[in-house]
Amino acid sequence: MWKDYIRKVVPYTPGEQPKNRKVIKLNTNENPYPPTPKVAKALEDFNKDCLRLYPDPTASALTKTLADYHGVDEDEVFVGVGSDDVIAMAFLTFFNSDKPILFPDITYSFYSVWADLYRIPYERPALDKDFKLVKEDYYKENGGIIFPNPNAPTSLAVSLDFIEDILKHNQDSLVIVDEAYIDFGGDSALALLNKYENLLVIRTFSKSRSMAGMRIGYAIGNKFLIKALNDVKYSYNSYTMNQTSLVFGKESVLDDNYFKETVDKIVATREHAKKRFEELGFTCLDSKANFLFVTHKCVPAKQIFTQLKENGIFVRYFDSPRIDNYLRVTIGTDEEMEALYKFLERYVVNA
Ligand code: PMP
């Protein structure tokens, strides 16, 4: 029966994208500020005629801009359609051993979806009671390791020493550090690339560069790893970065001042938000990302989530073991955050 041979997958559940534009949207870790005005200008000047043509399969203009920005060679950069594409491609390319790959029990939920999809065995060492990664759990035999730094949805970062310990104990495995949120405060593992050939660092334009809608992600690693990724990519999905993403992505990287200003604004709002949440009776993990992970001392998270939603403020709630009394709140503009505190001031006190 053909029905017996359908690949069965439990898909990833993305955060809600409400049709109503008026809501305060703090549920999918997007950037509340627009991309650099240079992107808007490039959009105006965009040569529509090139839409007839297939994009450059090597994405060379964007790859070169990123290589220059990070001070690496072009053949050490791999670009893809969002870091989701880059990570999925990395799973397919590198995680082909019979040994289980390792990632934390509480982390980006797409990892287990891709592992299931590609039939990669995996184990998920538990974060400790404070939601911290336990490095010794990653010292056992494995088919590869991946974790985000800072982790999501916990928002906590690990130090470079921590990452280096994992690399040292795993010279036979590929270690992927998913740096989707690194620009907001953690220390980048890019600093370790020269020392460890088994390290791949993955980044995205979706958070700190305000370009989730463009779908741009990239990996940096040694030539051998990047070639392996490109070989797999060209074997089944060439031409995936569209013409517009290639042009606008480059403009974003070239405007470093705007990028830093925007990140600084979000970090300042986050630090203020930590205080406000604590004043309101929440416990707040020490976020190094563009979101907070919070729990209230008396009001259940699910109840707050539902009430916020009914009042046009969207945050993220995960109905999963250990984190079902937490909310993940993306850092919005100061005005958006004020509206959130105002609602909570009334709600958590009267609940
Ligand atoms: N990694 C982590 C940890 C994330 O939270 C996200 C965002 N959902 C991604 C990767 C993927 O981001 P994107 O595909 O937009 O680059």
Side-chain angles (χ1 to χ4, degrees):
M1 270 297 285
W2 59 269
K3 284 183 184 160
D4 296 334
Y5 299 105
I6 292 176
R7 188 177 289 259
K8 292 180 189 64
V9 285
V10 181
Y12 172 73
T13 317
E16 200 173 336
Q17 294 294 350
K19 301 274 177 305
N20 175 2
R21 288 270 168 175
K22 289 215 179 88
V23 303
I24 296 183
K25 196 171 173 309
L26 308 174
N27 66 333
T28 49
N29 295 345
E30 289 136 335
N31 196 310
Y33 301 107
T36 156
K38 299 232 162 80
V39 168
K41 175 83 176 59
L43 181 60
E44 262 171 45
D45 298 348
F46 187 73
N47 172 12
K48 279 88 191 159
D49 186 51
C50 80
L51 293 178
R52 286 186 309 108
L53 305 173
Y54 285 113
D56 167 14
T58 64
S60 59
L62 180 61
T63 306
K64 174 155 188 359
T65 310
L66 283 167
D68 290 348
Y69 183 76
H70 287 292
V72 297
D73 290 338
E74 274 168 69
D75 52 8
E76 294 172 320
V77 179
F78 173 85
V79 296
V81 185
S83 55
D84 280 341
D85 178 40
V86 179
I87 303 168
M89 205 69 75
F91 271 50
L92 195 56
T93 308
F94 301 115
F95 294 160
N96 293 300
S97 132
D98 297 333
K99 295 175 202 150
I101 63 164
L102 306 177
F103 49 85
D105 64 336
I106 300 169
T107 194
Y108 187 33
S109 47
F110 234 137
Y111 298 160
S112 54
V113 174
W114 288 314
D116 286 333
L117 177 65
Y118 297 138
R119 299 183 179 145
I120 301 164
Y122 58 94
E123 280 175 23
R124 297 185 294 180
L127 298 180
D128 73 10
K129 64 173 191 1
D130 300 318
F131 295 122
K132 294 198 166 128
L133 275 98
V134 180
K135 64 182 172 201
E136 290 78 12
D137 290 344
Y138 296 83
Y139 292 174
K140 59 177 157 195
E141 250 202 327
N142 62 71
I145 293 173
I146 180 165
F147 56 89
N149 188 36
N151 195 8
T154 66
S155 76
L156 297 178
V158 292
S159 67
L160 271 193
D161 286 345
F162 181 103
I163 297 175
E164 189 155 13
D165 276 337
I166 291 190
L167 285 160
K168 272 189 196 146
H169 282 84
N170 287 284
Q171 312 250 359
D172 292 337
S173 300
L174 185 77
V175 177
I176 301 179
V177 184
D178 173 357
E179 294 194 337
Y181 302 100
I182 198 72
D183 295 317
F184 302 103
D187 290 325
S188 174
L190 288 176
L192 299 172
L193 275 178
N194 284 338
K195 267 169 102 177
Y196 297 93
E197 60 171 19
N198 57 328
L199 169 65
L200 189 74
V201 177
I202 297 184
R203 295 269 184 108
T204 177
F205 281 44
S206 300
K207 321 291 178 185
S208 53
R209 294 193 178 276
S210 312
M211 292 176 85
M214 277 278 105
R215 314 303 301 124
I216 308 174
Y218 59 104
I220 303 192
N222 69 62
K223 289 176 200 168
F224 179 77
L225 297 179
I226 300 304
K227 179 171 185 316
L229 279 167
N230 273 319
D231 286 350
V232 169
K233 177 189 163 121
Y234 294 143
S235 306
Y236 89 102
N237 79 346
S238 53
Y239 296 118
T240 48
M241 293 220 55
N242 69 58
Q243 300 279 27
T244 52
S245 299
L246 293 175
V247 174
F248 304 153
K250 181 176 160 187
E251 290 303 316
S252 167
V253 181
L254 293 177
D255 192 354
D256 209 32
N257 285 341
Y258 180 89
F259 165 72
K260 286 185 176 137
E261 265 168 40
T262 314
V263 165
D264 287 350
K265 269 202 280 190
I266 292 171
V267 170
T269 307
R270 178 190 73 202
E271 293 308 304
H272 180 66
K274 284 181 187 167
K275 285 191 208 125
R276 294 299 301 268
F277 270 101
E278 270 156 25
E279 283 161 15
L280 288 162
F282 287 88
T283 304
C284 193
L285 270 61
D286 184 21
S287 171
K288 296 283 183 253
N290 68 337
F291 58 88
L292 295 181
F293 201 50
V294 301
T295 182
H296 194 265
K297 61 180 178 208
C298 11
V299 192
K302 195 168 187 176
Q303 195 177 314
I304 305 176
F305 165 76
T306 311
Q307 283 304 314
L308 280 171
K309 192 166 166 181
E310 278 174 17
N311 286 274
I313 303 177
F314 283 49
V315 298
R316 191 84 194 259
Y317 174 72
F318 298 94
D319 206 351
S320 326
R322 293 178 72 197
I323 56 170
D324 57 359
N325 201 24
Y326 281 79
L327 296 173
R328 193 193 69 188
V329 182
T330 305
I331 302 299
T333 61
D334 287 328
E335 296 72 42
E336 289 172 326
M337 299 305 283
E338 285 305 324
L340 170 68
Y341 310 140
K342 208 163 150 199
F343 175 84
L344 291 173
E345 263 160 24
R346 278 181 281 123
Y347 184 71
V348 292
V349 174
N350 297 325

